[in-house]
Amino acid sequence: MDDAKDEVDFSDDLLLAQRAVAMDARARRDVVTRLLKPVQRIVYGLVRDDSEADDWVQESLIEVIKSLKNYRGETKLEYWSKRIVVRTTLRKVKARRSRDSLVTPQDELPEMRDERPNPQTMLRRRLNHHLSKLSPEQSEALTLKLIHGYSVEEVAKLTDAKVNTVRGRLRNGRALLREQLLADPILREWAARNLR
Amino acid sequence: MSEHRQHNLDSEDAELLDLLLFALDDEELVSDEVGGEDAAILRMVMEAAQAEVEVPQNDLRDHRIINAVLEETRPKQQTQWHYWAAAAAVAGLVLGGLAFWSAQTQEPVAPPVVAAAPLELRPLLNEPEDKLQVAHAVTAYSDTAFSIGEDVGILLEKDSVATVMHADTDGIEIRVLKGAILANVTPNKNVNLLVHSGDSTVKVTGTVFAVRAGKNADVKVLRGSVKVQRASAKTHAVKGGESLVFENEKVSTFDPATEWKAWTYHEVLERRGEKEQAWLDVQGTPGATIKVDGKVLGTSPMRVTVAPGKHSVSAHKDGMESKSQDVSALVDRHSRVVFALQSKKAPTSIDTTAKATEAPSSRELLNRALAFRKKKQWSKAAAAYNDLIRQHPRSGEAKTSLISLADLELDRLKRPSKALQHYSRYLRSGGGLSQEATYGQIRAYRRLGDKNNEKRTIERFLKKYPTAVQAQALRSRLKEL
């Protein structure tokens, strides 16, 4: 493909990162501003409408800036930072897992109870609801694998678990999730109305 | 994955079913065992889950996050020194392509107990200051010239990028990221200057030399000599008229005079010793001895070149009453000082007050400050605010200017202790901007590394303004403290 062009693009990213590392205030601001939205999407996707999502966004961005010195310009800055963001968010979530799980039950969030949610919102909400009933490890593995598209090996790395353990979590979690989804009366009703 | 599509409950069944046909390639959840409606439900759920997450628009939240991240990752003075020491310590290691960055990962060695004073960075070309960010670190772009302290002048070739990583009385470090710079260092002043390019470092104490980054990175020494440290730990001494290509470590000769002239704006480096100036035109009783700041400078009428700022001017003449006055000399302006001395025997009730004419009004000074701000000439803006506060201390403009000046000192000029003085002065008499002033104090203490006062002030702030925008961030900061 157009390797030369790709290289040039990333070298711009690299230069920006180097300037940011070299304590150039403007470059740091540029990096943070540029990564804010992508990072928000990843974090919101992981923790959904968690009230602390913004805190995780902030923590993740700080981690990314601190890790910039390791950026080698081999991939796009956004892509490179994704792993750091996922890791940071998972770590933070784990830290308070004693009282919560990765996915907050959506039904309990009043601001999300709009009168006529679009199907996507409703479906995602049902999925989150059922994910939250699984063990935190299972829902975490499923979220990363099914929603974020990480490979089993990558999920293992991100969650500090063995590959086989992750496989087990995925297998069991998937079976449970499927069972729950298919037994969900809300989904059944929706399907009856909309899918013929 | 099928393309993301928006739809709502009113959509046609056909559209939804159509969506199903493009359903996810995720066969893991939707296995062969499930079919029909079950498969459809599972596919739709996964489709919804994999669609791009929508982040609600909230500028205030985004602004807060960006600032918090920048604040948290702001280089600290101490850290910079650590880095300096660490860089020196690892200079002899094999560093590889990105030697500089890996240097930062080294454990910092114990910092020596030295209070290094930061050096001021000033643009030497008469152009917008935003080409040059005066901060802990400065990035300068094409065709820029600036001075660092008294003894170092830097000129950037067109389309070049260089970053001053560190500049205080202990030493100066510059990295050339792109293009080339020309450095002019006053000899015999023990200026400790390091210029990095790629994996090479040029060390110098007094000389003129050019360093280039990129493919043919090299150093050309126009005057004096430099020491070049390669990543391989090899060092080279390069003399005036010699150049060294880092890559192949090949030394060749060139004509320094031609090289010097090849640099656009090279003459500004010769002028860099000149400071910002102001003039006092002393008039009035002729033949009076004029002293400025206690030094006899001549007899009136006369023009005195002074540094901008406050000066004490006095006039003495035999048989006359001596007069003295404090005058604020404004940058690039002629301030007129008139002394009408009276005979010693004459009654003193007659108006003999010496006055500096052309004293601008508070509004004029404020406008001046705002104009400088707009042009991002931060030091000049600060000077104008200072003049306003000094000359019209009771005006409304002076009061709010304290906050503007404090913010300027803190965020632009990186002088947190000065900022602190201004915030505190504002708070002593109170006003509508007390919240901003208190928050400013917190930021200033943080910048100064004064955790005790930072903590105390945060507590005070939260007690007084529990619902402020900054409250959440401050609460988490308090936990850290």
Side-chain angles (χ1 to χ4, degrees):
Chain A
M1 285 280 289
D2 200 353
D3 283 350
K5 188 167 172 268
D6 284 353
E7 210 170 281
V8 169
D9 287 346
F10 298 146
S11 75
D12 278 354
D13 281 8
L14 184 61
L15 183 63
L16 180 68
Q18 287 180 344
R19 280 172 40 214
V21 170
M23 298 176 239
D24 172 347
R26 180 157 64 183
R28 257 182 326 120
R29 180 172 279 280
D30 286 351
V31 171
V32 176
T33 312
R34 182 172 141 187
L35 293 182
L36 178 66
K37 282 280 169 253
V39 169
Q40 280 174 328
R41 274 193 213 108
I42 298 168
V43 176
Y44 279 51
L46 280 174
V47 302
R48 303 288 145 41
D49 302 280
D50 194 306
S51 59
E52 288 174 277
D54 287 338
D55 291 349
W56 308 153
V57 169
Q58 188 175 313
E59 294 288 332
S60 299
L61 279 168
I62 289 169
E63 280 306 311
V64 170
I65 296 292
K66 284 181 179 168
S67 310
L68 272 182
K69 56 179 180 279
N70 301 321
Y71 177 63
R72 295 282 177 266
E74 287 153 356
T75 55
K76 208 169 164 85
L77 202 52
E78 280 82 352
Y79 185 81
W80 171 82
S81 54
K82 182 171 178 178
R83 195 170 292 245
I84 297 168
V85 176
V86 171
R87 253 196 113 89
T88 308
T89 308
L90 292 182
R91 213 169 47 231
K92 296 284 165 191
V93 171
K94 251 181 200 168
R96 47 142 228 204
R97 190 165 266 175
S98 51
R99 64 176 171 87
D100 214 335
S101 66
L102 177 64
V103 181
T104 309
Q106 296 299 292
D107 299 343
E108 291 159 25
L109 289 167
E111 71 271 24
M112 289 302 290
R113 282 208 206 110
D114 43 353
E115 283 174 4
R116 287 182 54 199
N118 67 31
Q120 238 170 26
T121 310
M122 190 278 290
L123 293 168
R124 190 182 282 168
R125 204 179 288 177
R126 293 321 294 163
L127 175 67
N128 293 342
H129 172 75
H130 292 297
L131 276 172
S132 71
K133 287 185 183 168
L134 304 177
S135 80
E137 290 78 14
Q138 285 173 345
S139 76
E140 179 181 87
L142 281 172
T143 305
L144 293 173
K145 176 76 175 68
L146 299 185
I147 302 174
H148 289 271
Y150 282 106
S151 71
V152 177
E153 288 72 23
E154 284 171 323
V155 175
K157 264 187 194 164
L158 288 167
T159 57
D160 293 325
K162 286 182 181 150
V163 173
N164 279 339
T165 312
V166 171
R167 284 213 176 95
R169 285 173 188 170
L170 285 170
R171 197 173 44 242
N172 298 335
R174 197 156 46 220
L176 280 171
L177 181 64
R178 185 189 297 151
E179 205 174 287
Q180 285 174 195
L181 285 171
L182 295 178
D184 184 333
I186 300 173
L187 283 175
R188 280 281 165 213
E189 194 198 325
W190 178 83
R193 271 194 285 122
N194 295 285
L195 304 171
R196 297 180 66 86
Chain B
M1 198 166 118
S2 67
E3 64 177 305
H4 165 59
R5 301 176 63 148
Q6 279 292 342
H7 41 263
N8 54 52
L9 273 177
D10 301 328
S11 305
E12 292 295 317
D13 284 358
E15 196 184 338
L16 284 156
L17 288 168
D18 177 50
L19 191 71
L20 271 183
L21 296 175
F22 290 96
L24 304 177
D25 51 4
D26 181 70
E27 295 302 330
E28 297 183 12
L29 190 70
V30 191
S31 69
D32 293 340
E33 301 131 45
V34 274
E37 190 177 271
D38 285 0
I41 289 175
L42 295 177
R43 286 206 174 97
M44 292 302 288
V45 169
M46 286 314 299
E47 162 79 3
Q50 292 186 333
E52 191 168 81
V53 176
E54 274 174 42
V55 179
Q57 183 75 23
N58 183 338
D59 291 344
L60 189 66
R61 172 204 62 203
D62 290 358
H63 185 71
R64 184 180 60 75
I65 291 175
I66 290 171
N67 282 344
V69 172
L70 291 176
E71 180 72 17
E72 189 60 37
T73 56
R74 190 189 298 281
K76 290 162 186 92
Q77 207 61 38
Q78 188 77 348
T79 318
Q80 286 183 27
W81 168 255
H82 282 190
Y83 162 65
W84 169 257
V90 299
L93 300 176
V94 179
L95 300 176
L98 282 163
F100 166 73
W101 313 122
S102 58
Q104 292 197 314
T105 63
Q106 299 291 318
E107 272 302 303
V109 298
V113 189
V114 179
L119 293 172
E120 197 193 354
L121 289 106
R122 274 196 317 120
L124 293 173
L125 286 174
N126 196 14
E127 59 185 343
E129 281 187 40
D130 59 355
K131 269 197 177 176
L132 180 77
Q133 283 189 15
V134 180
H136 286 308
V138 55
T139 296
Y141 301 85
S142 62
D143 277 354
T144 305
F146 58 98
S147 64
I148 307 172
E150 297 290 311
D151 300 311
V152 176
I154 302 290
L155 194 60
L156 267 84
E157 195 179 71
K158 198 165 164 49
D159 297 326
S160 298
V161 182
T163 297
V164 178
M165 295 134 55
H166 170 111
D168 61 30
T169 44
D170 278 335
I172 300 165
E173 259 184 290
I174 299 171
R175 170 154 281 265
V176 187
L177 294 167
K178 198 180 155 201
I181 68 162
L182 183 70
N184 182 356
V185 185
T186 313
N188 310 320
K189 286 286 189 90
N190 286 327
V191 178
N192 200 354
L193 170 68
L194 295 183
V195 180
H196 304 277
S197 168
D199 57 2
S200 301
T201 299
V202 177
K203 189 176 188 307
V204 71
T205 51
T207 184
V208 177
F209 64 101
V211 177
R212 182 172 299 278
K215 239 180 181 176
N216 300 313
D218 67 353
V219 57
K220 283 182 174 171
V221 182
L222 282 72
R223 190 187 73 205
S225 66
V226 301
K227 209 166 119 185
V228 177
Q229 171 101 49
R230 297 273 297 133
S232 57
K234 256 191 178 174
T235 57
H236 299 268
V238 186
K239 296 192 303 258
E242 283 181 353
S243 70
L244 172 83
V245 177
F246 299 137
E247 183 67 32
N248 55 19
E249 300 181 12
K250 214 177 138 190
V251 179
S252 43
T253 55
F254 67 99
D255 175 19
T258 315
E259 175 70 18
W260 176 248
K261 282 180 193 148
W263 281 78
T264 326
Y265 303 120
H266 61 83
E267 71 280 4
V268 303
L269 288 193
E270 291 152 4
R271 291 204 315 256
R272 76 187 148 77
E274 295 171 14
K275 290 180 183 166
E276 280 182 338
Q277 289 185 337
W279 296 271
L280 299 176
D281 288 347
V282 189
Q283 299 173 355
T285 310
T289 307
I290 302 299
K291 280 188 186 175
V292 175
D293 299 328
K295 256 191 192 167
V296 176
L297 294 181
T299 53
S300 57
M302 68 177 300
R303 174 172 292 175
V304 190
T305 308
V306 291
K310 204 169 175 179
H311 296 278
S312 166
V313 186
S314 61
H316 310 268
K317 194 172 180 184
D318 284 347
M320 311 283 252
E321 293 277 2
S322 298
K323 292 280 171 200
S324 75
Q325 187 181 352
D326 286 344
V327 180
S328 282
L330 304 176
V331 178
D332 291 338
R333 300 245 323 181
H334 290 255
S335 302
R336 201 143 59 95
V337 191
V338 184
F339 287 108
L341 300 182
Q342 297 289 322
S343 150
K344 266 182 180 168
K345 282 165 193 164
T348 51
S349 57
I350 298 170
D351 180 22
T352 58
T353 320
K355 61 177 181 183
T357 54
E358 286 189 18
S361 72
S362 56
R363 176 47 62 176
E364 277 169 16
L365 284 166
L366 182 61
N367 287 341
R368 193 174 300 166
L370 293 174
F372 282 133
R373 272 190 97 111
K374 211 169 173 186
K375 287 191 262 175
K376 299 188 177 175
Q377 298 180 344
W378 312 119
S379 329
K380 288 180 181 174
Y385 279 129
N386 269 317
D387 287 333
L388 163 58
I389 293 160
R390 206 167 29 234
Q391 292 174 22
H392 307 276
R394 288 197 187 83
S395 66
E397 287 91 335
K399 179 105 192 186
T400 46
S401 291
L402 277 171
I403 299 293
S404 312
L405 175 60
D407 286 347
L408 202 63
E409 292 283 6
L410 185 62
D411 297 318
R412 302 297 180 183
L413 299 168
K414 308 296 170 198
R415 294 189 289 222
S417 30
K418 280 204 167 171
L420 205 53
Q421 285 173 10
H422 300 311
Y423 287 131
S424 306
R425 188 169 160 192
Y426 182 91
L427 286 169
R428 273 200 291 277
S429 54
L433 296 172
S434 296
Q435 183 179 330
E436 281 74 9
T438 316
Y439 186 62
Q441 280 185 320
I442 294 168
R443 294 195 302 129
Y445 280 132
R446 182 168 195 178
R447 206 70 61 76
L448 287 167
D450 184 346
K451 288 190 176 173
N452 283 341
N453 274 320
E454 191 194 345
K455 195 176 162 195
R456 270 213 327 256
T457 318
I458 292 179
E459 284 163 351
R460 194 152 42 95
F461 182 95
L462 290 174
K463 207 171 164 188
K464 217 167 167 191
Y465 314 106
T467 56
V469 186
Q470 305 96 336
Q472 199 191 341
L474 287 179
R475 278 190 196 102
S476 37
R477 173 66 181 157
L478 204 54
K479 275 182 210 153
E480 286 169 30
L481 292 168

